[in-house]
Amino acid sequence: MAGQKLIPTRFHEIRRWLKDRATARQLKQPEGRTRFWNELADQCANRSLISLLESTLKLPGDVIECGVYRGSSLLQIAHTLKESRSGKRIYGMDSFEGFPEGSVQPCDVGSGRWFSALQKKFRFCADTPAHLRMICAAFDLNVELIPGYFCDTLPRVTDRTFSFIHIDVDLYQSYKECLEALYDRLVPGGVIVFDEWKSGEWPGATQAINEFLSNHPEEVQQCTDRKYSADYIRKQSAAANRAVA
């Protein structure tokens, strides 16, 4: 794996680092934990991603998020699972140190962006797993973080089934790896949410999704149940899949 960036050097990195420190102090007090939990509930109420998650809670299988970054969506998902008493576990996969060497391709470079700059994104996240584990311990959340590049970590969940998958991995190669590894692990009626569908910033993501779905019966839909929409597919039956093959 590439060398981790351990010290924040950019303004947005320093701001996030300071916010994490403030959160750690907040969670040391009962009233702080209550406020944090209620804020998570408010965030969930605004996201169609959570509405889609709720539609899968009665299905068998666990939940997985590929592309955790700083953990915002992962904590919202974990909050929903705990409140629903579903017993499901959420697996969170991310390198927590940026993209693999050579993984950014020309198709990933959106208009007005620089190839060299994209290769260096998201490298100040080495402290994220410890921060998220601290939050999960404070609320007894059923979360398992799996740090590493997807080519190394996805084989570790090939014995699991999933009812809900959230993919937020930006790159063509990463989307391709996640879809190829996880689609067959998704139960019929289960949902995959795509964070970068038709994103002008990450065009390779849309290309990878389109290529994958060209051999499957599902089509990307948009859920607008809540303030922030979500693009997704809901897996059809095995019979529908055989008809496309």
Side-chain angles (χ1 to χ4, degrees):
M1 295 176 70
Q4 293 181 330
K5 179 180 177 180
L6 301 176
I7 300 174
T9 57
R10 298 176 181 271
F11 175 73
H12 69 276
E13 294 171 348
I14 295 171
R15 185 173 58 185
R16 284 197 300 265
W17 184 85
L18 291 173
K19 182 179 179 181
D20 287 350
R21 305 286 79 73
T23 298
R25 293 192 297 271
Q26 176 184 348
L27 296 185
K28 291 180 179 180
Q29 303 298 326
E31 61 273 19
R33 290 192 293 273
T34 298
R35 186 169 68 255
F36 184 90
W37 194 248
N38 290 340
E39 289 171 354
L40 271 181
D42 291 340
Q43 295 165 20
C44 291
N46 283 324
R47 297 198 66 184
S48 293
L49 177 145
I50 298 300
S51 174
L52 290 166
L53 170 66
E54 291 169 348
S55 75
T56 67
L57 291 178
K58 293 184 179 180
L59 296 175
D62 288 314
V63 174
I64 187 166
E65 179 174 71
C66 296
V68 174
Y69 189 39
R70 305 297 290 189
S72 176
S73 294
L74 180 129
L75 291 174
Q76 293 165 18
I77 292 170
H79 178 282
T80 303
L81 297 181
K82 185 173 180 66
E83 288 290 293
S84 70
R85 299 182 181 179
S86 68
K88 295 177 183 288
R89 167 165 287 200
I90 175 171
Y91 296 87
M93 289 190 168
D94 199 295
S95 73
F96 298 107
E97 59 178 65
F99 299 133
E101 190 71 28
S103 61
V104 180
Q105 302 181 30
C107 68
D108 295 310
V109 183
S111 177
R113 310 190 88 189
W114 295 94
F115 184 85
S116 59
L118 295 184
Q119 292 178 305
K120 299 176 182 179
K121 287 183 72 66
F122 309 126
R123 289 192 176 178
F124 176 64
C125 290
D127 61 334
T128 298
H131 179 70
L132 290 176
R133 288 181 179 121
M134 178 271 296
I135 295 174
C136 292
F139 297 102
D140 192 26
L141 301 178
N142 195 1
V143 174
E144 180 176 340
L145 296 178
I146 307 178
Y149 293 138
F150 299 128
C151 60
D152 299 319
T153 57
L154 284 167
R156 294 171 57 180
V157 296
T158 54
D159 60 340
R160 306 288 197 273
T161 59
F162 299 101
S163 56
F164 186 85
I165 299 170
H166 180 213
I167 306 181
D168 182 4
V169 296
D170 304 324
L171 302 183
Y172 172 89
Q173 178 179 314
S174 298
Y175 262 93
K176 186 176 180 181
E177 289 174 350
C178 292
L179 284 167
E180 289 178 349
L182 297 176
Y183 178 87
D184 288 342
R185 313 308 306 165
L186 184 68
V187 301
V191 165
I192 305 177
V193 173
F194 305 115
D195 197 73
E196 287 89 14
W197 170 250
K198 291 190 175 180
S199 166
E201 292 187 337
W202 301 105
T206 302
Q207 181 178 332
I209 296 166
N210 283 337
E211 290 177 3
F212 184 84
L213 293 181
S214 66
N215 296 314
H216 296 82
E218 295 84 9
E219 295 183 357
V220 179
Q221 306 174 65
Q222 185 175 73
C223 178
T224 57
D225 289 351
R226 298 180 184 176
K227 180 178 180 179
Y228 300 109
S229 64
D231 300 303
Y232 73 102
I233 61 170
R234 191 178 297 276
K235 190 174 184 181
Q236 298 187 22
S237 67
N241 279 285
R242 288 195 296 270
V244 172

